[in-house]
Amino acid sequence: MEKRKIGSLTVSPIGLGCMSMSHGYGPSDETTSIRLLNEALDLGYDFLDTATMYGAGKNEELIAKAIKHRRDEYVLASKCALYSHDGQPRIDGRPETIKRHCDASLQRLQTDVIDLYYLHRLDPNVPIEESVGALVDLVKAGKIREIGLSEISSETLRRAHAVHPIAAVQSEYSLWTRLPELKMLATCEELGVTFVPFSPLGRQFLTGKAQDSSFLTDGDIRTGNAKPRFEAKAFIQNSQLLKPLQDVANQLNCSLAQLALAWLIHQTNGQGNKTLIPIPGTKHIEYMRENIGALDVAMTPDVVSHLSSVFREENVIGTRYAEAVMKVMDSERDRVLI
């Protein structure tokens, strides 16, 4: 299997987001999740993504329970500074919090080192230089190998990179969320930073299997912070945008999910290199198997360009997050800084 680089790390061109096995998409089954994680490694996934926030640490504990005995088979990413307090997310990017979160994550993951450790969200009350400084201390202590940032703006990335090389930026990017195309992808290429798209399937929308929020269970982020595009009326209109994608999927003999992932995997930067590493998340074994099949989709540059043109974010009804969340998301600053 082809490999891609994240700083000093080498990983498969598609990773596995682990959040939904413990958080964000309603109830899950631990026995199924343990089977899923082991089969994912067997199939070639070797880049796993978790966070302190996911299930208030339960997701990290799940990974340890399921595959700590196979630790040398995967690159492990986790995140700090975003955590649950009284059921509500809180951001705390102070150095002491970052170091405390790392120690707790290492204990839950039952590992000596986290390969890639992200600042999950920028704390508006803490200069990015201070937060990155804490991450640098963790590198020096041998607790983490590479530093990443999540949902930050290009300006914030430049400031952080001036303190210490940033290996990866993780932000939402898919056919229906194109914000990184404004500035972040070019900034990452300039600085030598790998871009990791999360929610590459649009929270299931791009698979054609999603339902509007009225059919979803409590605890599903599509009934809360990620609801705008899943409101019943918006969802009906947005679903019409899938028709041209289905036509292409039929021509390529692949599923909609595989098409959306292949669109990311086959994108090239200004040097003609394929560097993106999407991390679709799932709690379903069959979807995990389906997603890695995206690596077998024979997608040409013309098809990549065609998909980019037929599915435009400006045609999507609703923002990707609720208004209150959008206002504090540092990455959204790239919309006004171009």
Side-chain angles (χ1 to χ4, degrees):
M1 182 185 293
E2 170 204 353
K3 298 292 183 178
R4 298 190 179 180
K5 299 287 289 184
I6 302 177
S8 62
L9 310 169
T10 303
V11 301
S12 53
I14 184 171
L16 178 64
C18 299
M19 182 182 81
S20 62
M21 298 178 220
S22 308
H23 174 87
Y25 288 88
S28 57
D29 178 75
E30 183 179 274
T31 300
T32 299
S33 296
I34 290 172
R35 285 180 51 213
L36 188 158
L37 286 163
N38 278 279
E39 184 172 332
L41 296 185
D42 294 339
L43 290 177
Y45 287 94
D46 64 7
F47 181 38
L48 307 185
D49 183 272
T50 183
T52 292
M53 176 68 186
Y54 302 162
K58 296 297 184 184
N59 195 245
E60 292 176 320
E61 292 174 352
L62 171 67
I63 290 173
K65 183 175 183 178
I67 53 175
K68 68 174 182 179
H69 62 292
R70 304 179 65 174
R71 183 63 183 89
D72 61 344
E73 297 180 43
Y74 57 93
V75 169
L76 178 61
S78 191
K79 311 179 197 72
C80 63
L82 180 63
Y83 65 101
S84 179
H85 176 70
D86 296 332
Q88 298 298 319
R90 295 287 185 269
I91 301 173
D92 185 348
R94 293 175 296 171
E96 58 269 30
T97 300
I98 289 171
K99 293 176 181 180
R100 186 174 69 250
H101 281 188
C102 183
D103 287 340
S105 288
L106 287 167
Q107 184 174 8
R108 287 190 293 264
L109 290 162
Q110 298 182 41
T111 187
D112 295 328
V113 63
I114 298 171
D115 299 304
L116 173 62
Y117 201 47
Y118 293 96
L119 182 72
H120 204 157
R121 292 291 185 271
L122 175 69
D123 185 337
N125 299 311
V126 179
I128 186 62
E129 292 82 0
E130 292 185 16
S131 295
V132 172
L135 294 169
V136 173
D137 288 344
L138 293 172
V139 172
K140 292 177 179 177
K143 295 181 179 182
I144 68 175
R145 290 197 170 97
E146 297 287 356
I147 297 172
L149 304 173
S150 180
E151 283 284 11
I152 48 92
S153 67
S154 298
E155 179 185 10
T156 300
L157 173 57
R158 290 185 184 280
R159 289 171 55 192
H161 198 75
V163 175
H164 185 277
I166 303 300
V169 166
Q170 177 185 128
S171 289
E172 184 174 354
Y173 184 34
S174 69
L175 278 164
W176 82 338
T177 297
R178 309 287 278 279
L179 173 61
E181 294 177 359
L182 298 180
K183 290 195 71 174
M184 183 54 74
L185 294 181
T187 303
C188 283
E189 181 178 359
E190 176 189 339
L191 300 178
V193 179
T194 300
F195 189 85
V196 178
F198 76 73
S199 293
L201 296 175
R203 299 183 175 86
Q204 199 185 38
F205 175 81
L206 294 169
T207 72
K209 302 181 180 104
Q211 295 179 298
D212 70 61
S213 60
S214 63
F215 291 94
L216 303 175
T217 60
D218 291 340
D220 192 307
I221 61 174
R222 295 167 294 185
T223 66
N225 283 339
K227 187 176 181 178
R229 293 179 174 182
F230 290 89
E231 292 272 13
K233 291 183 179 180
F235 187 84
I236 291 173
Q237 295 183 62
N238 289 334
S239 295
Q240 300 303 308
L241 303 175
L242 294 175
K243 291 181 178 179
L245 301 188
Q246 187 63 66
D247 291 340
V248 177
N250 292 341
Q251 294 169 16
L252 296 179
N253 194 30
C254 66
S255 69
L256 279 172
Q258 291 168 341
L259 184 75
L261 292 171
W263 175 76
L264 288 166
I265 291 166
H266 286 274
Q267 285 195 39
T268 56
N269 62 18
Q271 303 300 314
N273 299 317
K274 300 174 184 177
T275 63
L276 301 185
I277 307 170
I279 49 169
T282 185
K283 57 184 177 181
H284 302 284
I285 292 176
E286 63 271 26
Y287 295 165
M288 178 272 294
R289 295 170 180 161
E290 177 184 0
N291 291 343
I292 202 168
L295 297 177
D296 298 322
V297 176
M299 183 169 288
T300 65
D302 286 343
V303 175
V304 172
S305 178
H306 173 69
L307 293 173
S308 298
S309 64
V310 299
F311 201 110
R312 306 296 301 176
E313 184 180 22
E314 55 262 34
N315 295 329
V316 177
I317 305 299
T319 54
R320 63 191 182 102
Y321 286 116
E323 182 179 359
V325 178
M326 293 287 282
K327 286 181 177 179
V328 299
M329 195 74 72
D330 186 59
S331 56
E332 289 293 326
R333 295 175 61 224
D334 277 348
R335 295 189 190 274
V336 298
L337 293 175
I338 56 175

